[in-house]
Amino acid sequence: MPHTRASFVLGHHQEQASVLFCQSGDTSLLVTDLTPFHPQSHLWPDQPGDVGTVHWEGGDATVGPCRMGAISPDGKLFVDQAIPVKRGAEGWRFVVVHPLAGHCVLAVGSQVTLRVDAEARHALSLGHSGCHLAALALNRALMPYWRKEVSEQDALDQPDFDRLAIQTSRVEPMGSREQYRIGKSLRKKGVNSEALLAELAQIEVQVNRQLADWVASGAEIRRSRAGEAIIDSRYWHCSLEGREVTIPCGGTHVGSLAELGLVQVQLASCEEGFTLTTRVTP
């Protein structure tokens, strides 16, 4: 059994597919050879899995939210946090798991039509594209708060505070929430945490100003992938200030900055750091 081939990176919402595995239960678990459904990552669960429907001859069921899975060499399915091996482990097949409402019995090799809820996907795509833009704008606004040169740079060659400090990230419909921690190691790297946390209100204004400038450009957002398999690397591309920005990303996105409309953040202090809430108003 091969890894699931995934087409959501191409913007697809519907596919005809063959059943590779179906585990019946109160919630049945379906695996197909090909899917347009984006699954929530078990490694960095920022974007929720897609929802939608599956149709077959004589029946249908609601799907989702989809999750990652792995099938062992002896054919046992492990889902989400239960996956016991690293991706690409020899003999294991990494798959997209479609949870189906109710007891469903689908024979291996039978044909199904998978349909993603396009409206729900679009709302999450707005949130995820806004999230990337906000991270880049935050990194720029925090440049004056570094006392030392930083080797970790983002896609705009700015000190990558986002990557170094982020603890959790959750993409939501038309928004996202990130939590950042400024611990001992980050202060050693040169972050002036005292000034940064004291000036969150001014930083918020700067981030929002930068976001407005970038969104006004209306630049195209593109997606690319290293291969069709669900474990192959995927990337987010956008032109900002005349240069191509590329960020590794497994999620879904809108087609341009113009689609985002208005992107605004709110910063709030929390224990050992701060939170960043992004809201997109298309």
Side-chain angles (χ1 to χ4, degrees):
M1 183 190 296
H3 302 300
T4 301
R5 290 182 292 122
S7 65
F8 58 83
V9 69
L10 305 175
H12 293 190
H13 294 91
Q14 180 171 321
E15 297 288 2
Q16 301 284 330
S18 297
V19 174
L20 297 183
F21 178 98
C22 186
Q23 180 177 301
S24 185
D26 292 338
T27 298
S28 300
L29 303 178
L30 172 68
V31 173
T32 55
D33 62 336
L34 169 67
T35 185
F37 281 81
H38 168 265
Q40 184 175 53
S41 169
H42 63 298
L43 299 174
W44 185 249
D46 55 346
Q47 181 172 335
D50 279 336
V51 298
T53 55
V54 60
H55 304 261
W56 62 89
E57 190 174 345
D60 58 70
T62 57
V63 174
C66 287
R67 293 174 287 169
M68 279 297 298
I71 296 177
S72 66
D74 62 0
K76 186 177 180 184
L77 175 65
F78 295 83
V79 181
D80 197 45
Q81 297 302 310
I83 296 173
V85 294
K86 292 184 177 179
R87 85 183 168 171
E90 188 176 353
W92 287 72
R93 297 295 176 260
F94 280 75
V95 297
V96 176
V97 178
H98 308 80
L100 309 184
H103 287 263
C104 301
V105 180
L106 294 167
V108 171
S110 61
Q111 297 297 296
V112 295
T113 301
L114 299 161
R115 293 190 182 123
V116 174
D117 182 326
E119 190 175 329
R121 155 86 65 83
H122 185 63
L124 290 172
S125 296
L126 287 165
H128 207 150
S129 295
C131 174
H132 282 335
L133 213 60
L136 292 168
L138 177 69
N139 285 345
R140 175 162 295 182
L142 295 184
M143 286 174 69
Y145 297 90
W146 291 92
R147 296 191 183 100
K148 302 177 185 177
E149 281 201 27
V150 186
S151 58
E152 294 88 349
Q153 304 277 302
D154 68 13
L156 285 171
D157 300 322
Q158 305 169 146
D160 200 347
F161 177 90
D162 172 74
R163 185 164 68 86
L164 290 168
I166 197 162
Q167 296 298 295
T168 60
S169 175
R170 293 292 180 267
V171 174
E172 302 172 348
M174 294 186 288
S176 67
R177 295 177 189 273
E178 278 68 49
Q179 183 168 339
Y180 296 99
R181 180 177 178 270
I182 305 175
K184 189 182 295 183
S185 64
L186 207 55
R187 290 195 295 271
K188 266 188 174 180
K189 282 182 177 287
V191 169
N192 184 349
S193 58
E194 199 172 305
L196 191 163
L197 294 173
E199 296 170 11
L200 285 177
Q202 298 97 300
I203 293 167
E204 179 182 301
V205 170
Q206 291 175 31
V207 172
N208 284 327
R209 192 176 295 139
Q210 183 63 72
L211 287 168
D213 287 348
W214 282 340
V215 170
S217 76
E220 179 188 15
I221 294 172
R222 294 187 301 103
R223 304 282 283 115
S224 68
R225 59 185 185 176
E228 290 184 314
I230 189 60
I231 60 171
D232 287 331
S233 296
R234 298 180 290 277
Y235 303 91
W236 181 90
H237 307 273
C238 186
S239 177
L240 295 176
E241 301 171 351
R243 60 186 294 183
E244 175 85 353
V245 173
T246 297
I247 297 174
C249 179
T252 67
H253 291 278
V254 293
S256 74
L257 297 182
E259 287 184 59
L260 297 176
L262 178 66
V263 183
Q264 290 187 307
V265 303
Q266 287 185 321
L267 304 182
S269 59
C270 66
E271 190 177 352
E272 293 193 82
F274 65 94
T275 59
L276 181 149
T277 302
T278 305
R279 284 285 163 263
V280 178
T281 310

